[in-house]
Amino acid sequence: MEFRPRRRNDNGNYSQNSQFEKTTINIPTHLVGKVIGRGGSKIRDIQSESGARVNVTKDTDGDQTLVRISGNKGEIDKAVDLIESLTKDVESFSINSGQVEEPKEEENPDNVIYINGWKTKKYDNNIDWKAVFQESDKRNREEFDSMYVIVKNFYQEHPEVTAMTEAEAEQFRLENNNIVVKRVFSDQDGDIKKPCTKFEHAFHPYPEILEEIKKVGFEKPSPIQSQSWPVLLSGEDMIGIAQTGTGKTLAFLLPALIHIEGQTIPRDQRKGPTVLIIAPTRELALQIEREVNKYHYKGITSLCIYGGVNRQAQVKALKNVVDIVIATPGRMNDLEEAGHLNIKYITYVVLDEADRMLDMGFEPQIRKIMYSVNPNRQTVMTSATWPDSVRRLATSYMQNPVQIYVGSLDLAATHTVTQVVELVEDDINAKLETLFEFVRSMTPTDKIIVFCGKKAVADHVSSELSLQYIPCTSIHGDREQSDREQAVQDIMSGDIPILIATDVASRGLDIDDLTHVINFDFPKNIEEYVHRVGRTGRAGKRGKSISYFTKSDWHHAKELIPILEEAGQYVPEEIYNMAERYEAMLVKRNSMPNRGRGGRGGGGGGGGRRW
């Protein structure tokens, strides 16, 4: 029996399509993945947009693959156009009416490969990858250079800044959390812009920007903003290293608005966004979107795209070109690969919380994005730490960047947080009892985040608090996106004073009045400890962190001690003892001859020692 798909008629009712047709096309086999898309996403989009049914068959002769298309004539034509748009820049294909054309033979096909759509030869049956990527880079640059010239420098130094001596500039930096600014990959630190100590210093040519800042109510730039704005408005690449809650978002956002409006191609003629901001988590992406929406300049528009929500809604939204896209790496790559997001016009890229993105394993997605965007772009990277992985990323994708860091490059928790370490038994019930004691002592103005190491633990803690009639909410990766957003809204509004979270919330939540952070489970590394602690004590306010430390956490003791000491915090004597015992265990274990992989080591609780 012939398959006849049911389709909606003009009244919205289903009816049999009386003009049902079928046809076939051939596409190059090496482009099948491009037509199908990740997890079938692209082919679903083709079917959704055209109304036709598309089936990529297994009929292939190696070079060409047969695709069957069914529907009415208009639907088939639309589907063919969509497939052609995916393949026309790299290969041609043929359309049949039941007959599959023989593919044209290619001269010595065994000696040809395709990289990013470019036909490339193999060399002596081995791929010369260096030559392949050099050729790809060359053609990539040629394509972008032929499109348009990017304008980056919008800075007009204010007379008061010009009058500032270098000694005065350095004194200002020293008095404002010890701002350090330098060329990170060069010994030449010349032409470093002097800081802007007032909003007018940076934006005096842009009164609309000054008016928006005035509406928000800020009195003066934060340290990272005062030094970032002259650098970014001058069009330079920049790495901003500062703890959370220091104003990094506004530091890169306001220059981005000016950059968007200042390009040579009018905004209504661009076929894609101008600014791309990549963030590690949905929560941080949404927070950036909220910050962007506070400032209105020249009708600039933005869109936040991230996983965990309806993909088709985001696809539909992208049909209207926006100026700023805020995205998580996975969904960003997904929509770009499927052809829904045109990144050819992006000229300003922000990698926000770069260290967090690398910790989460997003390096491949980031590198793919950065490789695909205009190489002449302006690039901004923010991070709370400066590990080797972030340094390598900056080396690969930034041009002679200026590094600005506030405080110290050494890992350190903010000094506006009182850090307390409580030694507890290695038992979840003992931890729960300690938490209950704290909750019973909370004041009406307290607002806390309780961090757990696993989703199951977060659910358990949330359930136990609820059973005690203690209002709380939770956030972790298994919760629906709508529930996660509601949880954030509830804690920010104060409707619920306790948020139970996994590390999905350790960065990206900007809750100015958060009074306490409780580490129910000590984090997996000391960097994550710093970021958790940084959720409180923000915007000049004081905060407190309480960490439950058990004997199984002893391997963190050595790294925790300098963090506490640097901030002038009390270090329990047992933490020093645990650090010494753990180091002694490592020395002893490493000195044992012929130690097998299956041998028992000191990964437990310090040889059963008591507190």
Side-chain angles (χ1 to χ4, degrees):
M1 179 180 292
E2 186 179 73
F3 170 75
R4 294 179 181 273
R6 296 170 64 204
R7 306 180 187 281
R8 290 185 185 272
N9 58 28
D10 293 339
N11 295 323
N13 301 316
Y14 284 104
S15 63
Q16 294 283 6
N17 188 339
S18 60
Q19 309 212 345
F20 181 72
E21 300 178 11
K22 292 189 291 187
T23 191
T24 60
I25 63 175
N26 293 320
I27 64 172
T29 298
H30 67 276
L31 294 178
V32 165
K34 193 174 182 69
V35 173
I36 294 176
R38 181 183 298 175
S41 61
K42 190 56 192 175
I43 202 166
R44 286 195 298 270
D45 292 339
I46 293 172
Q47 292 183 127
S48 176
E49 288 190 42
S50 68
R53 182 178 181 181
V54 181
N55 176 30
V56 179
T57 74
K58 295 183 179 179
D59 296 338
T60 178
D61 62 1
D63 291 332
Q64 297 283 311
T65 293
L66 181 70
V67 178
R68 293 192 175 94
I69 306 175
S70 55
N72 63 39
K73 186 177 185 306
E75 292 168 341
I76 290 174
D77 290 344
K78 178 65 172 176
V80 170
D81 288 342
L82 291 170
I83 296 173
E84 184 180 18
S85 69
L86 294 173
T87 58
K88 65 181 179 181
D89 292 335
V90 266
E91 282 288 350
S92 61
F93 62 91
S94 56
I95 303 179
N96 309 290
S97 293
Q99 292 290 327
V100 180
E101 291 186 5
E102 290 293 323
K104 296 180 180 179
E105 285 200 17
E106 196 171 40
E107 182 179 354
N108 192 12
D110 290 338
N111 201 38
V112 172
I113 60 171
Y114 293 84
I115 301 292
N116 289 342
W118 302 112
K119 185 186 297 182
T120 310
K121 290 184 178 180
K122 297 179 183 177
Y123 299 89
D124 300 325
N125 293 322
N126 291 311
I127 299 174
D128 184 346
W129 288 109
K130 183 176 181 180
V132 166
F133 287 114
Q134 283 179 344
E135 178 67 12
S136 182
D137 283 340
K138 177 184 175 183
R139 297 196 183 197
N140 203 29
R141 282 187 174 274
E142 288 174 351
E143 178 187 1
F144 280 116
D145 288 344
S146 66
M147 289 177 64
Y148 51 86
V149 176
I150 301 175
V151 181
K152 300 189 211 176
N153 190 354
F154 303 96
Y155 187 54
Q156 298 179 34
E157 190 172 74
H158 192 278
E160 290 181 6
V161 178
T162 304
M164 184 188 299
T165 66
E166 289 297 333
E168 290 171 338
E170 195 57 39
Q171 184 63 29
F172 173 84
R173 295 179 183 127
L174 183 63
E175 293 174 352
N176 284 266
N177 292 2
N178 190 27
I179 303 169
V180 178
V181 54
K182 64 178 182 178
R183 301 274 177 187
V184 65
F185 301 129
S186 171
D187 294 333
Q188 304 298 320
D189 288 339
D191 197 30
I192 295 290
K193 302 298 181 183
K194 288 178 281 191
C196 294
T197 63
K198 303 175 183 177
F199 293 118
E200 291 77 12
H201 288 172
F203 302 111
H204 62 96
Y206 308 100
E208 298 98 327
I209 294 285
L210 288 173
E211 186 61 30
E212 291 300 308
I213 296 172
K214 183 179 179 181
K215 289 178 184 176
V216 176
F218 292 128
E219 295 180 359
K220 64 177 182 178
S222 72
I224 188 72
Q225 293 165 359
S226 65
Q227 187 62 69
S228 295
W229 284 333
V231 171
L232 292 178
L233 288 170
S234 298
E236 299 205 70
D237 287 2
M238 190 199 83
I239 303 165
I241 310 289
Q243 296 299 325
T244 54
T246 54
K248 286 183 289 186
T249 302
L250 199 61
F252 63 69
L253 174 59
L254 296 185
L257 299 179
I258 294 169
H259 178 100
I260 291 168
E261 184 63 19
Q263 299 309 303
T264 55
I265 300 179
R267 281 165 44 207
D268 59 0
Q269 296 180 25
R270 300 173 206 168
K271 300 176 182 178
T274 306
V275 171
L276 172 63
I277 303 172
I278 308 174
T281 65
R282 307 169 198 175
E283 283 69 34
L284 180 55
L286 289 167
Q287 178 191 310
I288 295 170
E289 181 186 39
R290 288 192 293 270
E291 192 72 14
V292 170
N293 290 337
K294 291 179 184 177
Y295 300 90
H296 305 282
Y297 182 66
K298 307 288 187 180
I300 286 173
T301 58
S302 66
L303 177 67
C304 187
I305 57 177
Y306 50 90
V309 294
N310 188 305
R311 183 177 181 275
Q312 286 303 317
Q314 295 178 353
V315 169
K316 184 178 180 180
L318 283 169
K319 292 184 182 300
N320 299 317
V321 175
V322 296
D323 300 301
I324 302 173
V325 165
I326 306 140
T328 51
R331 182 55 61 93
M332 159 74 189
N333 266 323
D334 176 28
L335 295 176
E336 190 274 327
E337 286 178 359
H340 299 300
L341 179 61
N342 186 344
I343 63 175
K344 296 294 185 182
Y345 290 82
I346 291 173
T347 53
Y348 188 105
V349 177
V350 179
L351 301 177
D352 199 18
E353 301 279 15
D355 50 349
R356 175 64 164 164
M357 285 195 281
L358 297 180
D359 288 345
M360 296 174 68
F362 285 130
E363 184 167 0
Q365 290 90 334
I366 294 171
R367 289 190 177 276
K368 181 183 182 303
I369 293 168
M370 299 303 286
Y371 181 80
S372 302
V373 175
N374 194 320
N376 301 315
R377 67 188 173 263
Q378 184 175 3
T379 307
V380 187
M381 179 184 292
T382 77
S383 182
T385 57
W386 185 235
D388 290 340
S389 57
V390 176
R391 181 184 292 268
R392 286 194 301 270
L393 193 67
T395 303
S396 301
Y397 298 106
M398 305 188 83
Q399 300 294 323
N400 194 23
V402 174
Q403 185 186 71
I404 301 168
Y405 58 91
V406 178
S408 170
L409 277 181
D410 295 329
L411 191 64
T414 174
H415 288 203
T416 58
V417 177
T418 301
Q419 301 171 63
V420 175
V421 178
E422 291 192 14
L423 302 172
V424 300
E425 293 297 324
D426 196 359
D427 176 79
I428 191 170
N429 292 324
K431 290 183 178 180
L432 278 170
E433 186 55 40
T434 306
L435 177 62
F436 288 150
E437 289 179 9
F438 172 82
V439 170
R440 286 192 284 266
S441 68
M442 286 177 61
T443 69
T445 59
D446 284 342
K447 187 184 294 187
I448 72 172
I449 292 182
V450 180
F451 283 109
C452 302
K454 296 180 179 179
K455 292 173 280 191
V457 176
D459 285 337
H460 181 65
V461 172
S462 180
S463 297
E464 290 298 315
L465 287 172
S466 297
L467 288 172
Q468 299 290 327
Y469 302 101
I470 297 171
C472 66
T473 186
S474 66
I475 178 172
H476 57 65
D478 281 353
R479 297 206 69 191
E480 294 291 333
Q481 182 61 30
S482 58
D483 293 333
R484 291 170 63 165
E485 292 178 19
Q486 186 63 50
V488 173
Q489 181 178 332
D490 287 342
I491 187 72
M492 294 182 72
S493 66
D495 291 341
I496 295 177
I498 302 173
L499 175 66
I500 316 298
T502 56
D503 282 329
V504 71
S506 65
R507 306 190 197 188
L509 288 182
D510 189 6
I511 306 172
D512 290 339
D513 53 351
L514 192 73
T515 58
H516 293 79
V517 164
I518 294 182
N519 288 314
F520 190 86
D521 296 315
F522 200 83
K524 61 183 180 294
N525 57 57
I526 207 66
E527 288 82 7
E528 202 57 54
Y529 171 83
V530 170
H531 292 300
R532 287 185 183 182
V533 168
R535 293 303 96 202
T536 186
R538 298 164 72 89
K541 298 179 181 178
R542 300 292 305 180
K544 186 174 184 178
S545 73
I546 303 172
S547 301
Y548 300 161
F549 205 88
T550 73
K551 60 184 179 182
S552 63
D553 299 318
W554 70 327
H555 55 291
H556 294 302
K558 182 179 179 181
E559 293 181 306
L560 177 60
I561 289 169
I563 299 292
L564 297 173
E565 290 180 337
E566 190 276 337
Q569 305 296 309
Y570 170 72
V571 183
E573 187 64 28
E574 183 57 26
I575 298 296
Y576 289 111
N577 295 338
M578 293 171 82
E580 292 174 2
R581 292 200 301 268
Y582 184 73
E583 287 301 301
M585 181 277 296
L586 290 179
V587 171
K588 181 179 179 180
R589 185 174 66 180
N590 292 333
S591 66
M592 293 177 67
N594 301 321
R595 179 176 178 84
R597 288 176 62 89
R600 297 178 64 187
R609 292 177 182 268
R610 296 186 177 182
W611 293 108

